[in-house]
Amino acid sequence: MEWKNLYRGMIMGVTDLIPGVSGGTMAVVLGIYDRLLEAISGFFSKEWKRHLGFLVPLGIGVVIALLALSRLIDYLLKEYFEPTQFFFIGLIIGVIPFLIRHSEAKRYFTTRHIIALIIAAVLVASMAFIKTDTSAEPIESLTILSAIGLFLSGWLASMAMLLPGISGSFILLLLGVYSTAIRALSTLDLPFIAVIGAGVVVGFIISSKGIRYMLSHFHHMTFAVIIGLIIGSIAVVYPGVSGDIATNIISVVTFVAGLLLTLAFGAKSN
């Protein structure tokens, strides 16, 4: 078992709780994105045993973070919204130099790659202008229709989680079920967790195979799009400038902390 994946899973789990921050981005930051895609898609093949040692500790870490920190993240976003968001902006910006080096962009990117990068960035950044219903009341009883809706929501969110730059939580917000997912996690409502979780598992399987195919057959173009998605996500996460000087100072500190943390992970991955 690769138990160092325990803390990696916890980091990914925390980011998946936050609208605007992608668990896929954190997988890139941690240097395990390619391996993650391989393990998820390979887990449902004849070689599934080979991937257990990687996925089990990672999955445990994600679950621990989701169950233990859902209330903390909710608190930080309510009480310290700007500093929390700037911390993640630092993380996101810090991963861009690593991706440029990893994809050998200076050597292989042509005009069409740059155009694809810009389009991807603009598409994700435009989500910042989409109004989300953060006040939506959580669903408290399961019916056949609500179960189908939550399953599909989990499916779509998990596909977004694996794409760097697109937040699964943000997708849940767009669909109006983010409050339901947070309530289920914080209260350990097992039926709701099971329904949403089943959608997440299906989404992971399908999207991991699709992304791996794109990386295998259109490697540099896929990386161009991924870099664009990550750049565009900065606009989604950006909370604006606070009118309070103390908050702005703390935000600068958290931004620098996130940036240095990512750069350290990137240097370790080289």
Side-chain angles (χ1 to χ4, degrees):
M1 291 290 174
E2 299 181 37
W3 290 111
K4 61 183 177 181
N5 278 349
L6 192 64
Y7 86 88
R8 290 169 171 167
M10 292 181 69
I11 293 173
M12 290 178 62
V14 169
T15 56
D16 281 328
L17 285 170
I18 300 174
V21 182
S22 166
T25 301
M26 288 302 103
V28 173
V29 170
L30 296 167
I32 60 171
Y33 187 65
D34 292 344
R35 180 82 187 280
L36 176 65
L37 294 178
E38 178 189 359
I40 292 175
S41 60
F43 184 72
F44 296 91
S45 67
K46 294 179 180 179
E47 300 181 345
W48 63 273
K49 290 183 180 179
R50 183 166 65 88
H51 302 291
L52 274 179
F54 177 86
L55 285 175
V56 169
L58 193 73
I60 291 174
V62 170
V63 171
I64 289 173
L66 291 178
L67 296 180
L69 300 177
S70 57
R71 290 184 181 179
L72 174 62
I73 294 299
D74 191 43
Y75 171 78
L76 288 174
L77 288 174
K78 286 179 180 177
E79 302 297 328
Y80 303 99
F81 180 71
E82 289 88 355
T84 303
Q85 294 294 88
F86 271 106
F87 175 74
F88 283 101
I89 290 175
L91 289 177
I92 292 168
I93 292 177
V95 79
I96 295 172
F98 168 76
L99 273 180
I100 291 174
R101 291 194 304 270
H102 186 68
S103 62
E104 297 183 278
K106 292 182 180 179
R107 181 178 180 183
Y108 291 108
F109 279 19
T110 62
T111 302
R112 63 192 183 96
H113 295 101
I114 301 300
I115 291 174
L117 187 155
I118 293 172
I119 292 174
V122 170
L123 286 175
V124 174
S126 66
M127 292 183 181
F129 302 97
I130 300 176
K131 291 184 177 180
T132 55
D133 188 7
T134 57
S135 62
E137 289 296 320
I139 301 169
E140 296 186 354
S141 60
L142 276 178
T143 63
I144 294 177
L145 284 178
S146 65
I148 293 174
L150 290 172
F151 174 85
L152 293 175
S153 297
W155 183 332
L156 291 172
S158 69
M159 293 177 72
M161 287 175 197
L162 281 183
L163 278 174
I166 302 180
S167 164
S169 294
F170 188 74
I171 297 299
L172 293 179
L173 266 178
L174 291 179
L175 298 172
V177 298
Y178 179 72
S179 59
T180 300
I182 289 294
R183 184 199 67 81
L185 287 170
S186 59
T187 61
L188 281 181
D189 193 324
L190 295 181
F192 277 84
I193 292 174
V195 171
I196 298 173
V200 167
V201 170
V202 172
F204 273 154
I205 298 168
I206 294 175
S207 55
S208 63
K209 291 182 180 297
I211 297 171
R212 278 199 78 202
Y213 176 85
M214 295 300 292
L215 283 171
S216 297
H217 294 79
F218 308 98
H219 184 77
H220 296 105
M221 181 59 73
T222 302
F223 262 107
V225 172
I226 287 174
I227 293 171
L229 293 175
I230 290 177
I231 292 173
S233 71
I234 296 170
V236 178
V237 182
Y238 178 65
V241 178
S242 172
D244 182 65
I245 296 177
T247 299
N248 289 332
I249 293 174
I250 296 172
S251 296
V252 170
V253 172
T254 56
F255 169 78
V256 172
L259 182 63
L260 292 177
L261 184 62
T262 309
L263 292 175
F265 276 122
K268 196 177 292 186
S269 300
N270 287 331

